[in-house]
Amino acid sequence: KKVADRYLKREVLGEGTYGVVYKAIDTHTGQTVAIKKIRLGKQKEGVNFTALREIKLLKELKDPNIVELIDAFPHKGNLHLVFEFMETDLEAVIRDRNIFLSPADTKSYLQMTLKGLAYCHKKWVLHRDMKPNNLLIGSNGQLKLADFGLARMFGSPERRFTHQVFARWYRAPELLFGAKHYGSGVDVWASACIFAELLLRRPFLQGSSDIDQLGKIFSAFGTPTASQWPDMVYLPDYVEYQYVPAPPLRSLFPMATDDALDLLSKMFTYDPKARISVQQALEHRYFSSAPLPSDPDKLPRPA
Ligand code: ADP
């Protein structure tokens, strides 16, 4: 059936946080699209605001490494968001045991992730929900950041964010300590977790609760000291932890190159003020040294 006299609905692609996602054909262009249907009306007002925020943000974000919002319209009490159709996502790639990821492939996926983020951060937009299933992959192998539903301007006067926005395993330590004023560093930490996941082929820090998540972080990197992270003690949920020494990072990533390990450690810096920025990460020698990042159209993808 045709929606808005333009889109031919096909099968259901999946169920998201706010509603169903359909595959559809744009009869104006012949292009395959993904339509996210968001229930409005009787729902809590928050859903409306979240959706409207997402639209406004997404419409302003146009970049090769960002999923494009093609159209947005209300239809039968639902808000429809039309996105370019993406074949798969990074989680499916990482999980697929038939896929071998070379160091050049990993480099390419990380570079595309950081390029999309760098574009957003330049526009003062945080993603805030970086995780492998939000990194979609198109038919040409391009990786694009999706799901800006939780993203929000961080230069605005209303800077007190809720801190429970992240999938726990990708959450930065400042969020786990209850920080209400945080910045682009939260996306860098999450990207580091994704980098680690590409190297290990499994989620790196799998906490079963927020407390356990901090425990997993501390056993990987050692408990942060006040000299490493001076502002830590002022965070709302800060509590003193028993000292844990850091094992050599090398022991956790035996197969990583020295360049990869150096960049990873700079992205996993405790103090968000000292953490490497996305732009600096892109300029790290990891990306200019051999092997160079694979061409996106030559990257391995699920069959
Ligand atoms: P969530 O809100 O849980 O993060 P989404 O609403 O983003 O989930 O998406 C739900 C499902 O729809 C995803 O698992 C994915 O399979 C599919 N999907 C979302 N966006 C696209 C897209 N642009 N192209 C193809 N499939 C998509």
Side-chain angles (χ1 to χ4, degrees):
K1 115 179 165 257
K2 226 169 181 178
V3 179
D5 258 354
R6 174 167 175 182
Y7 302 100
L8 271 171
K9 258 189 197 171
R10 297 279 189 251
E11 73 268 23
V12 171
L13 287 168
E15 183 90 43
T17 315
Y18 300 112
V20 183
V21 182
Y22 294 93
K23 190 172 186 173
I25 308 293
D26 183 348
T27 57
H28 284 192
T29 61
Q31 193 186 0
T32 306
V33 295
I35 303 185
K36 206 185 244 193
K37 195 168 106 178
I38 296 166
R39 246 173 284 288
L40 296 176
K42 294 182 196 76
Q43 288 280 341
K44 280 198 300 186
E45 283 210 327
V47 177
N48 281 308
F49 284 125
T50 307
L52 292 173
R53 205 162 68 198
E54 181 170 25
I55 292 169
K56 199 162 174 290
L57 281 174
L58 274 171
K59 279 200 164 156
E60 289 164 12
L61 298 177
K62 280 189 191 289
D63 182 80
N65 297 109
I66 304 287
V67 175
E68 191 193 346
L69 174 61
I70 296 165
D71 194 8
F73 56 88
H75 180 73
K76 290 186 182 167
N78 294 312
L79 178 65
H80 288 65
L81 300 179
V82 182
F83 295 98
E84 63 178 313
F85 178 80
M86 303 294 284
E87 296 282 334
T88 184
D89 60 61
L90 194 63
E91 188 184 27
V93 170
I94 292 172
R95 275 219 225 117
D96 191 330
R97 293 292 123 192
N98 296 317
I99 289 178
F100 172 76
L101 288 177
S102 73
D105 297 340
T106 293
K107 200 174 283 193
S108 180
Y109 278 128
L110 181 68
Q111 190 180 47
M112 292 190 281
T113 302
L114 294 177
K115 280 181 174 174
L117 262 189
Y119 172 84
C120 294
H121 287 178
K122 219 168 51 201
K123 299 214 155 197
W124 303 97
V125 175
L126 297 187
H127 188 287
R128 304 203 304 159
D129 196 25
M130 298 283 295
K131 50 190 177 188
N133 69 336
N134 275 340
L135 303 177
L136 304 185
I137 297 170
S139 53
N140 55 0
Q142 280 287 338
L143 178 148
K144 303 186 185 211
L145 278 55
D147 222 347
F148 281 81
L150 299 164
R152 187 167 188 174
M153 296 290 173
F154 65 96
S156 71
E158 228 274 276
R159 283 187 51 155
R160 303 177 128 264
F161 306 133
T162 57
H163 58 268
Q164 294 295 356
V165 290
F166 267 63
R168 185 190 301 119
W169 297 342
Y170 306 91
R171 219 176 275 160
E174 63 269 29
L175 294 171
L176 294 162
F177 277 137
K180 291 179 183 68
H181 304 277
Y182 54 84
S184 51
V186 299
D187 288 336
V188 175
W189 184 275
S191 302
C193 295
I194 293 165
F195 187 10
E197 193 164 332
L198 282 164
L199 294 168
L200 297 172
R201 299 297 293 269
R202 61 173 164 75
F204 176 40
L205 303 162
Q206 305 185 46
S208 54
S209 66
D210 285 4
I211 298 292
D212 186 49
Q213 188 65 34
L214 275 172
K216 291 284 191 313
I217 293 173
F218 295 165
S219 47
F221 307 115
T223 37
T225 62
S227 64
Q228 259 179 316
W229 187 3
D231 297 334
M232 168 178 63
V233 296
Y234 305 113
L235 292 173
D237 303 335
Y238 170 73
V239 280
E240 229 176 281
Y241 278 79
Q242 198 189 347
Y243 172 76
V244 181
L249 196 57
R250 163 61 65 209
S251 68
L252 303 175
F253 300 94
M255 61 313 214
T257 63
D258 287 344
D259 287 341
L261 224 53
D262 186 77
L263 175 57
L264 195 63
S265 68
K266 285 172 172 146
M267 295 172 78
F268 274 132
T269 297
Y270 273 125
D271 185 348
K273 286 180 180 161
R275 201 173 296 154
I276 195 169
S277 72
V278 171
Q279 193 51 52
Q280 289 166 334
L282 281 169
E283 289 160 15
H284 190 277
R285 67 173 180 275
Y286 169 67
F287 292 111
S288 50
S289 65
L292 291 180
S294 305
D295 272 346
D297 64 344
K298 293 189 184 73
L299 285 169
R301 272 167 290 153

